[in-house]
């Protein structure tokens, strides 16, 4: 019989992001901020703590970023000492460095889609002129947890800085980026969605915790919205919103996180426990994951304890798990909380066969906080492993240009999907020709069935809004993350099914 052991502490407002996102090793919030902001996410760690949203022109040919509160560092794009101009609130750009064309901020610019001889049609749709294509990124940058999804916005800035350095225009039009701050608030998301609808041709790479605020606005205005992820059910239902990471869309749950354990630890999954930081979205997520894993993989969850977001005493929960004999333990919450549970396991000498917190724990900060208690922890990662940047050209490119727009920043899982959204936008704008419309772009995006962001993540059915099941399993060994399945560097496990919550049936994975 499944038991729920709930602490009585009152809950504070919680954030909701799906659990099937990717790796994160980003810049840091304070521990308290990150714990509150990501306690409900089963996904990636957030972005940098500083607010750096807009107000800049990056590089001599960089993408123009017209809104925001604080400028980011511009990137030189065409030769040595190419210095970016200073925006209204921005700082000066960095010098371009030597290297091959378009990859390090120097070399010749190649306009791969120049202005056609007969012109490009001028203002073919809202947000389009003969000279510019205006796009919008709506992400939580300020608000109660400053910087929580800044990495999504930075990734989009980084991609378009790279694009402008390499290609300059699409059929004679430059990219103009509106960096819009939804302020971790449904009202803020609605407000910025209205602005995007009125001024932008498309949304690209957006991530907001309370995106339900803008969902009806985006639906009604017909904005072509290629999101990083959609966090709420309302946004997932918008027909013209296509998240690159389609976690939880279409009434389906991927089993990529659980399938490996069913094979390697068949006895342990018969006594499984799912701990989560309590909130409306995480309760739904856990219910769906439990249903899927029990129906298709043979899991038996004997306990699903919910923990208040402000709770700090994990002793009673761990004591109960130990008493119940749980052998497989998974956890949805922030990496700080995952580390605290690992420490409590050690204190109580509780050693389940598998401890697998969600991918938020895929950060060196988890290991740093938990110390030797982190040893043996498993983490399933959907995106690229930062330990393998040397063999992943797209991840290396993202890291390089991210450092141009914000020196010192490193790739995150959120950023991988937002970078992928920008990349897909450019690909499809080239495909639809010099006279783009929102309808033409949406029609092209709907056809995208296997998209991997240039090798950043496993194939995603973007057009069908179905998350791929490809994962990589890492384990903390010797104080660092080590790939354990599949063992070959750069490989992925892509054989796990997805569970259809409506039909109660398994379906083939997207791989």
């Amino acid at each position: 019989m499944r038991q729920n052991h709930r602490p009585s502490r009152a809950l504070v407002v919680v954030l909701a992001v799906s659990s099937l996102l990717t790796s994160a090793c980003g810049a840091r919030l304070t521990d308290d901020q990150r714990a509150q902001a990501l306690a409900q996410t089963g996904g990636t760690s957030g972005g940098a703590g500083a607010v750096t949203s807009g107000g800049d022109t990056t590089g001599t040919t960089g993408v123009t970023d017209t809104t925001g509160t604080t400028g980011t560092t511009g990137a030189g794009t065409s030769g040595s000492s190419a210095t970016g101009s200073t925006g209204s609130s921005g700082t000066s750009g960095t010098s371009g460095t030597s290297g091959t064309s378009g990859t390090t901020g120097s070399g010749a610019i190649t306009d791969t889609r120049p202005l056609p001889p007969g012109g490009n049609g001028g203002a073919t749709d809202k947000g389009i002129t003969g000279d510019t294509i205006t796009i919008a990124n709506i992400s939580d940058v300020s608000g109660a947890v400053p910087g929580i999804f800044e990495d999504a916005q930075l990734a989009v800035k980084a991609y378009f800085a790279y694009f402008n350095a390499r290609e300059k225009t699409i059929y004679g039009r430059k990219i103009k980026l509106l960096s819009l701050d939804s302020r971790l608030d449904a009202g803020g998301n609605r407000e910025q969605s209205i602005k995007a609808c009125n001024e932008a041709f498309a949304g690209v790479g957006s991530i907001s915790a309370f995106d339900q605020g803008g969902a009806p606005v985006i639906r009604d205005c017909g904005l072509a919205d290629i999101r990083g992820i959609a966090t709420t059910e309302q946004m997932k239902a918008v027909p013209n919103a296509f998240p690159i990471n389609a976690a939880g869309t279409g009434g389906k749950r991927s089993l990529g996180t659980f399938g490996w354990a069913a094979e390697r630890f068949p006895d342990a999954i018969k006594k499984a426990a799912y701990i989560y930081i309590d909130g409306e979205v995480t309760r739904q997520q856990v219910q769906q994951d439990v249903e899927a894993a029990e129906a298709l993989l043979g899991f038996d969850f004997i306990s699903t304890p919910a923990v208040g977001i402000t709770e700090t005493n994990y002793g009673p929960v761990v004591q109960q798990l130990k008493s119940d004999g749980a052998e497989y333990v998974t956890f949805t919450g922030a990496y700080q909380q995952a580390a605290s549970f690992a420490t409590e396991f050690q204190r109580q000498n509780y050693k389940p066969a598998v401890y697998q917190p969600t991918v938020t724990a895929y950060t060196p900060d988890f290991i740093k906080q938990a110390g030797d208690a982190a040893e043996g922890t498993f983490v399933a990662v959907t995106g690229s492993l930062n330990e393998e940047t040397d063999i992943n050209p797209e991840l290396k490119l993202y890291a390089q240009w991210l450092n141009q727009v914000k020196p010192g920043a490193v790739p995150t899982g959120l950023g991988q999907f937002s970078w992928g959204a920008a990349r897909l936008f450019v690909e499809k704008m080239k495909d639809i020709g010099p006279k783009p419309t929102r309808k033409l772009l949406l029609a092209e995006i709907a056809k995208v069935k296997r998209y991997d962001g240039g090798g950043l993540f496993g194939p995603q059915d973007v057009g069908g809004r179905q998350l791929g099941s490809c994962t990589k399993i890492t384990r903390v060994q010797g104080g660092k993350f080590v790939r354990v399945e599949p063992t070959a560097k750069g490989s992925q496990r892509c054989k796990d099914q997805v569970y259809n919550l409506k039909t109660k049936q398994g379906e083939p994975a997207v791989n």
Side-chain angles (χ1 to χ4, degrees):
M1 177 181 296
R2 188 174 301 118
Q3 301 175 5
N4 293 308
H5 309 290
R6 298 172 183 263
S8 59
R9 184 184 294 270
L11 303 180
V12 298
V13 66
V14 292
L15 306 180
V17 181
S18 173
S19 68
L20 297 174
L21 304 184
T22 56
S23 62
C25 296
R28 297 162 181 79
L29 302 173
T30 67
D31 285 352
D32 287 341
Q33 287 174 332
R34 184 66 67 112
Q36 290 185 35
L38 291 174
Q40 292 275 343
T41 74
T44 63
S45 65
V51 179
T52 59
S53 171
D56 65 299
T57 302
T58 55
T60 54
T61 59
V63 56
T64 301
D65 185 3
T66 61
T67 62
T69 55
T70 306
T72 61
T73 303
T77 58
S78 56
S80 60
S81 298
T83 303
S85 60
T86 303
S88 59
S89 302
T91 58
S92 61
T94 61
S95 297
T97 58
S98 61
T100 58
S101 175
T103 59
T104 60
S106 67
I109 296 173
T110 301
D111 197 345
T112 61
R113 295 295 190 279
L115 180 68
N120 58 21
T124 59
D125 205 335
K126 190 168 291 186
I128 297 282
T129 71
D131 300 321
T132 61
I133 304 168
T134 300
I135 62 169
N137 176 277
I138 306 171
S139 296
D140 295 328
V141 177
S142 68
V145 187
I148 181 172
F149 294 142
E150 183 192 23
D151 43 355
Q153 200 159 92
L154 288 174
V156 174
K157 288 184 182 181
Y159 185 85
F160 287 113
Y162 158 67
F163 169 79
N164 281 317
R166 183 188 66 174
E167 298 190 50
K168 191 176 179 180
T169 71
I170 303 176
Y171 301 112
R173 298 183 178 97
K174 293 183 178 181
I175 302 293
K176 178 181 176 182
L177 172 63
L178 296 177
S179 292
L180 304 178
D181 181 7
S182 43
R183 306 189 304 275
L184 203 58
D185 176 73
N189 188 265
R190 175 180 172 80
E191 174 188 328
Q192 301 294 22
S193 295
I194 292 172
K195 184 176 180 65
C197 282
N198 289 336
E199 300 180 23
F201 174 70
V204 177
S206 302
I207 303 179
S208 299
F210 301 105
D211 59 15
Q212 75 272 24
V217 176
I218 289 173
R219 180 197 63 214
D220 293 345
C221 82
L223 184 75
D225 194 4
I226 311 171
R227 308 186 68 80
I229 61 173
T231 60
T232 65
E233 294 302 314
Q234 293 93 327
M235 184 59 76
K236 292 171 186 176
V238 173
N240 48 303
F242 290 91
I244 300 298
N245 182 305
T249 59
K252 298 177 182 179
R253 301 297 294 183
S254 169
L255 288 169
T257 301
F258 302 103
W260 74 276
E263 291 180 0
R264 301 187 100 187
F265 299 94
D267 294 330
I269 67 168
K270 298 299 183 182
K271 291 187 175 182
Y274 200 140
I275 314 169
Y276 63 101
I277 301 302
D278 200 11
E280 179 182 354
V281 173
T282 49
R283 284 194 294 272
Q284 181 183 67
Q285 170 192 306
V286 170
Q287 180 182 1
Q288 293 174 353
D289 282 344
V290 166
E291 179 183 334
E294 289 188 336
L296 298 185
L297 296 176
F299 275 73
D300 184 5
F301 284 90
I302 61 174
S303 183
T304 56
V307 179
I309 193 171
T310 58
E311 185 62 72
T312 58
N313 179 15
Y314 299 150
V317 173
V318 175
Q319 184 178 17
Q320 188 62 55
L321 295 179
K322 184 177 180 180
S323 177
D324 291 343
E327 287 295 319
Y328 170 92
V329 180
T330 188
F331 169 74
T332 289
Y335 79 81
Q336 293 93 336
Q337 296 157 324
S340 294
F341 269 110
T343 302
E344 186 63 26
F345 289 171
Q346 184 182 66
R347 191 186 73 80
Q348 294 196 30
N349 196 30
Y350 171 49
K351 300 178 180 179
V354 179
Y355 176 45
Q356 184 189 345
T358 192
V359 74
T360 51
Y362 179 61
T363 167
D365 291 336
F366 167 76
I367 299 174
K368 181 179 179 181
Q369 179 176 325
D372 60 4
E375 286 294 307
T377 300
F378 293 93
V379 182
V381 179
T382 305
S384 297
L385 300 178
N386 282 345
E387 292 81 8
E388 299 176 2
T389 302
D390 60 322
I391 65 165
N392 190 318
E394 195 74 17
L395 182 59
K396 185 181 296 185
L397 192 67
Y398 163 32
Q400 184 178 40
W401 284 92
L402 178 64
N403 194 59
Q404 293 278 7
V405 300
K406 184 169 185 179
V410 294
T412 68
L414 287 175
Q416 287 187 35
F417 286 105
S418 291
W419 172 280
R423 188 180 190 274
L424 185 60
F425 171 78
V426 168
E427 289 179 7
K428 295 307 169 185
M429 287 298 286
K430 291 177 180 178
D431 289 345
I432 62 180
K435 299 180 180 180
T437 65
R438 287 174 172 178
K439 288 183 178 180
L440 284 174
L441 178 58
L442 287 168
E444 285 298 313
I445 298 299
K447 299 175 185 176
V448 178
K449 299 300 181 183
R450 288 178 51 81
Y451 179 65
D452 65 2
L456 277 182
F457 36 79
Q460 309 292 312
D461 182 357
V462 177
R465 297 182 179 85
Q466 182 173 322
L467 180 72
S469 291
C470 293
T471 56
K472 292 160 284 290
I473 309 303
T474 64
R475 193 177 193 185
V476 180
Q477 296 178 339
K480 61 182 180 180
F481 289 101
V482 177
R483 170 193 282 273
V484 295
E485 186 178 336
T487 56
K489 195 173 182 179
S491 61
Q492 304 184 88
R493 175 190 172 97
C494 298
K495 62 183 180 180
D496 297 298
Q497 290 181 298
V498 296
Y499 181 70
N500 190 316
L501 293 160
K502 296 178 181 179
T503 66
K504 311 299 182 184
Q505 300 291 321
E507 297 179 0
V510 177
N511 55 48

